[in-house]
Amino acid sequence: MIHIQNYINGKFSDPIQNEWLDNSCPADGVVYGKLPNSCAKDVQNAYEAAHNAFPSWSVTSIAKRSAILLKIAALIQANLERFAAAESKDNGKPISLSRSIDIPRAASNFRFFGKAITQFYSESHEARNQKTINYTLRHPLGVVGCISPWNLPLYLLTWKIAPALAAGNCVVAKPSEVTPYTAFLLGEICNEAGLPKGVLNIVHGLGATTGQAIVEHPHIKAISFTGGTETGKLIAKTAAPLFKKLSLELGGKNPNIIFADCDYDKMLTTTIRSSFSNQGQICLCGSRIFVEASIYKQFKKDFVERVRQLVVGPPNEESTQIGALVSKTHFEKVMSYIEEVDNLQSRIIFGGKRVPVEGYENGYYLSPTIIEVDSNQCKLNQDEIFGPVVTLMPFDSDDAVLAMANDVNYGLSATVWTNNLKRSLLFSEQLEAGIVWINTWMQRDLRTPFGGVKSSGVGREGGFEVLRFFTETKNICINYE
Ligand code: NDP
């Protein structure tokens, strides 16, 4: 059994009330560890440690902060196999994915922000006629809260922590209670890298209690949250009267628009990834596939054929391409959408069933699922399912597909496959999304702004955008007449 502890003031500790939650393995449904069910007092202790560390960390030289973050990055990389195995076990994702994407990206997050902070700058505005010079100071906020989901556990947690620390803040973080393992391991790495005690504190527990205690803490100055839209609403409601800065990265129901003039083979290969990577549990997955009518039949045939070849299996096997869904609750939620299929306006054309995996009979394995729908208005096209489930629909014109793509509450990302330059520019402009990919998917450059519109969130992460989020600006005006 793994004994996960809170990481407060540079030390590992049990929760004050000695209450624990089970940590189970999605591959076989077996409980393999316990984690703290932390209460508000644990959060308060974490806050105090962060608060005490802030005066020193906030004035630590950029060179030193940068060096520590780069050291953390190097240590994550050096422990790649250990972290990758832990992430797969906790989340159910194929080991090949955690080894090639999740953990290297967690290291990159620290490496990127360790370097970005050395290039961060503020502005000055000179008005020679008035003999004034204005300049802007960007100071760290103080103690900030970072709350992250279970789908890309260490990747998304560090995407918040790294810029917050780089900018000179101290952090109280809460990973998802469903996937706490790699966040726990991160504490050891931080100590080894020489991160001063109290600068980063990781408190484990339930969203409704531990998470809520962070959000409603009167002196935690900002909340950076990634998770579901409903949770985002609740957080916004709690934080607004306290005038906290808020960054909300929420759900998505992203369109993948395929025109007949695209590079077909590249599109097909990428569409397999954008549909089913991480069992479809990525907020950026293209879960609504719209295909130009002239190639619809061909696409349907080829897509089903390729999806049929995907290997569903235990996360720890190298050959596995589709692992287990993260939990029983989530598996049941995804299945409930599949049960919506009525065979009239929607039809399963592939998958839709639990997959029995030998030796892992109680794991949460679901076949990649393709559903043909007749209307973009159906629940399957309007709700975020967040599993290995995509819908297919043909379209006849640019206007029709643009209208359908935008006719949804979400607006995180969109993908367009076309070799027509004019069309790609018009779609980039008119799609209601924070991120538009043309002839690619999830090709990330950490300098770019990342976030959504509509119910997909508020604010942008990434690059200097997030460093601005994690700093407070102050304008100084000097008259030198
Ligand atoms: P949740 O919203 O359920 O949880 C996210 C985090 O918030 C967890 O740590 C959770 O804790 C915590 N939490 C829950 N309730 C509260 C609360 N009242 N106050 C403070 N914290 C709380 O999301 P999931 O973990 O289920 O993640 C899936 C969702 O995340 C999907 O909707 C997905 O689209 C979205 N997502 C968005 C991304 C983006 O960049 N836009 C990227 C990745 C995912 P606990 O787990 O312990 O309940």
Side-chain angles (χ1 to χ4, degrees):
M1 289 285 275
I2 293 159
H3 180 77
I4 287 172
Q5 292 179 296
N6 289 332
Y7 173 68
I8 297 176
N9 210 24
K11 294 200 187 84
F12 290 94
S13 53
D14 288 348
I16 288 169
Q17 293 181 339
N18 203 27
E19 285 182 9
W20 299 87
L21 301 164
D22 285 342
N23 191 20
S24 63
C25 174
D28 54 16
V30 173
V31 172
Y32 73 100
K34 53 181 190 163
L35 67 140
N37 184 6
S38 305
C39 64
K41 185 77 180 65
D42 295 296
V43 170
Q44 178 60 21
N45 285 349
Y47 165 76
E48 281 168 19
H51 177 69
N52 293 337
F54 182 69
S56 164
W57 182 247
S58 58
V59 297
T60 296
S61 74
I62 284 174
K64 184 152 185 215
R65 288 209 297 261
S66 170
I68 293 175
L69 295 196
L70 295 179
K71 185 86 199 284
I72 296 174
L75 287 169
I76 294 175
Q77 199 63 45
N79 286 277
L80 176 73
E81 285 304 322
R82 184 167 171 236
F83 271 93
E87 202 71 297
S88 272
K89 189 168 177 95
D90 224 16
N91 172 278
K93 67 178 69 205
I95 183 76
S96 58
L97 197 71
S98 41
R99 188 188 286 136
S100 62
I101 306 279
D102 289 74
I103 307 307
R105 173 59 191 275
S108 300
N109 289 337
F110 280 105
R111 197 176 308 117
F112 175 83
F113 286 108
K115 291 180 182 168
I117 196 62
T118 66
Q119 307 298 313
F120 193 44
Y121 57 89
S122 60
E123 307 79 30
S124 75
H125 303 85
E126 191 185 12
R128 289 170 71 185
N129 60 330
Q130 296 176 14
K131 298 271 182 289
T132 60
I133 183 157
N134 282 273
Y135 64 92
T136 306
L137 295 177
R138 287 187 186 279
H139 286 166
L141 301 174
V143 179
V144 299
C146 298
I147 302 177
S148 56
W150 47 257
N151 62 328
L152 301 164
L154 194 65
Y155 173 137
L156 288 176
L157 183 72
T158 55
W159 180 233
K160 299 178 178 307
I161 288 174
L165 298 180
N169 300 282
C170 293
V171 172
V172 176
K174 192 200 89 67
S176 170
E177 141 246 343
V178 185
T179 53
Y181 196 4
T182 48
F184 172 58
L185 298 179
L186 182 67
E188 282 174 27
I189 296 280
C190 290
N191 286 349
E192 202 181 332
L195 188 72
K197 61 178 189 177
V199 170
L200 170 66
N201 304 276
I202 301 174
V203 188
H204 297 273
L206 297 169
T209 48
T210 319
Q212 182 73 17
I214 295 175
V215 177
E216 66 191 21
H217 194 288
H219 303 303
I220 292 183
K221 297 282 191 344
I223 300 293
S224 173
F225 169 79
T226 297
T229 295
E230 287 311 309
T231 317
K233 277 186 202 166
L234 229 130
I235 289 178
K237 212 168 143 186
T238 310
L242 297 166
F243 304 110
K244 287 182 194 228
K245 268 184 131 177
L246 264 191
S247 167
L248 302 174
E249 300 293 337
L250 310 176
K253 189 71 186 177
N254 312 305
N256 179 8
I257 303 168
I258 300 169
F259 284 97
D261 69 1
C262 71
D263 179 341
Y264 190 82
D265 292 341
K266 181 180 170 200
M267 173 280 295
L268 193 60
T269 302
T270 309
T271 295
I272 302 287
R273 275 202 312 120
S274 67
S275 303
F276 300 117
S277 286
N278 204 38
Q279 297 71 248
Q281 303 165 138
I282 302 182
C283 52
L284 303 165
C285 278
S287 51
R288 293 183 294 150
I289 305 180
F290 299 106
V291 186
E292 193 166 4
S294 60
I295 58 162
Y296 184 72
K297 248 175 95 180
Q298 182 67 42
F299 173 81
K300 193 164 121 177
K301 180 170 162 286
D302 295 340
F303 188 52
V304 168
E305 206 37 57
R306 290 282 290 271
V307 172
R308 194 189 304 284
Q309 293 165 24
L310 291 172
V311 179
V312 180
N316 58 356
E317 266 178 28
E318 297 292 338
S319 57
T320 294
Q321 291 168 296
I322 307 278
L325 268 66
V326 74
S327 65
K328 182 165 184 281
T329 318
H330 189 60
F331 182 87
E332 284 165 0
K333 181 194 148 194
V334 175
M335 282 308 288
S336 75
Y337 279 101
I338 292 173
E339 283 152 18
E340 289 278 318
V341 173
D342 61 5
N343 289 322
L344 294 168
Q345 268 114 40
S346 55
R347 297 157 292 281
I348 294 178
I349 57 175
F350 187 81
K353 294 206 171 64
R354 188 172 198 139
V355 178
V357 174
E358 209 187 321
Y360 296 84
E361 283 72 16
N362 294 323
Y364 315 121
Y365 301 95
L366 175 62
S367 162
T369 300
I370 310 170
I371 303 172
E372 189 170 50
V373 296
D374 294 342
S375 160
N376 183 53
Q377 277 309 313
C378 65
K379 218 170 153 204
L380 291 161
N381 261 38
Q382 293 292 317
D383 287 10
E384 184 188 46
I385 301 175
F386 215 57
V389 180
V390 291
T391 65
L392 285 192
M393 247 189 102
F395 66 86
D396 290 313
S397 70
D398 290 32
D399 287 349
V401 75
L402 184 63
M404 287 194 293
N406 286 339
D407 189 12
V408 71
N409 284 334
Y410 296 102
L412 187 55
S413 71
T415 301
V416 184
W417 291 95
T418 179
N419 278 318
N420 179 324
L421 179 63
K422 184 174 153 196
R423 176 186 276 151
S424 64
L425 292 174
L426 286 173
F427 270 71
S428 312
E429 187 190 303
Q430 290 168 20
L431 280 164
E432 293 167 3
I435 303 150
V436 177
W437 279 297
I438 307 289
N439 298 330
T440 186
W441 177 74
M442 213 174 155
Q443 212 163 356
R444 296 280 293 117
D445 178 331
L446 303 191
R447 294 171 301 177
T448 59
F450 181 92
V453 298
K454 304 200 281 191
S455 297
S456 290
V458 181
R460 293 292 180 272
E461 298 188 306
F464 287 164
E465 295 273 348
V466 71
L467 293 176
R468 287 188 196 107
F469 173 77
F470 279 123
T471 49
E472 191 69 84
T473 53
K474 182 191 277 178
N475 187 71
I476 317 293
C477 176
I478 298 176
N479 181 298
Y480 57 90
E481 194 164 24

